[in-house]
Amino acid sequence: AGRVKAIVTVKTSGERVLATDSDYANESLEETDSAGGTRRQQSESGSSTSIYYDSAQGSQPYVQSENMPQIEGVVIVAEGGGDQAIAVDLTLAVEALLGTPVHKIKVLKLKT
């Protein structure tokens, strides 16, 4: 393929989902008076706090999961990009490494 340059565009950036300790309460009260009327009252309350652990660098948040950036498209410019076999190999490599659909990958010949 020779010299290769690649441009990757992302739709969304990566995201870390932190583990939390949640405490929620839901209270419902229904009263009926002597005349047959009813009164309903509902209340909700809650709190959520992140979970931390101690490490050599200090207190760190516990990461529950990490979502990688969503890739929008890839353009590859390569010296051998004009060769169909090389273009197919580069396209399949990007698809395998990044999970990007083939129709969002374009290989071009690098002009020197």
Side-chain angles (χ1 to χ4, degrees):
R3 289 187 319 163
V4 177
K5 294 182 181 184
I7 299 172
V8 179
T9 58
V10 292
K11 188 174 189 177
T12 60
S13 61
E15 173 188 38
R16 288 179 149 185
V17 179
L18 303 180
T20 58
D21 184 17
S22 302
D23 183 22
Y24 287 94
N26 186 354
E27 189 175 323
S28 180
L29 175 65
E30 187 172 324
E31 297 176 330
T32 305
D33 63 19
S34 60
T38 60
R39 179 176 69 137
R40 291 187 184 127
Q41 186 176 11
Q42 271 192 304
S43 64
E44 292 182 17
S45 64
S47 65
S48 180
T49 56
S50 295
I51 298 173
Y52 289 84
Y53 67 94
D54 292 327
S55 70
Q57 292 82 22
S59 184
Q60 300 287 323
Y62 182 79
V63 178
Q64 184 173 336
S65 64
E66 191 166 349
N67 301 326
M68 299 307 290
Q70 185 178 1
I71 296 173
E72 186 66 27
V74 179
V75 174
I76 298 171
V77 182
E79 286 178 334
D83 182 315
Q84 188 65 27
I86 291 174
V88 168
D89 284 345
L90 290 171
T91 300
L92 294 177
V94 170
E95 179 188 28
L97 288 171
L98 302 178
T100 306
V102 174
H103 70 278
K104 292 188 172 189
I105 303 168
K106 180 68 177 172
V107 178
L108 303 171
K109 180 173 175 50
L110 178 65
K111 301 193 189 232
T112 54

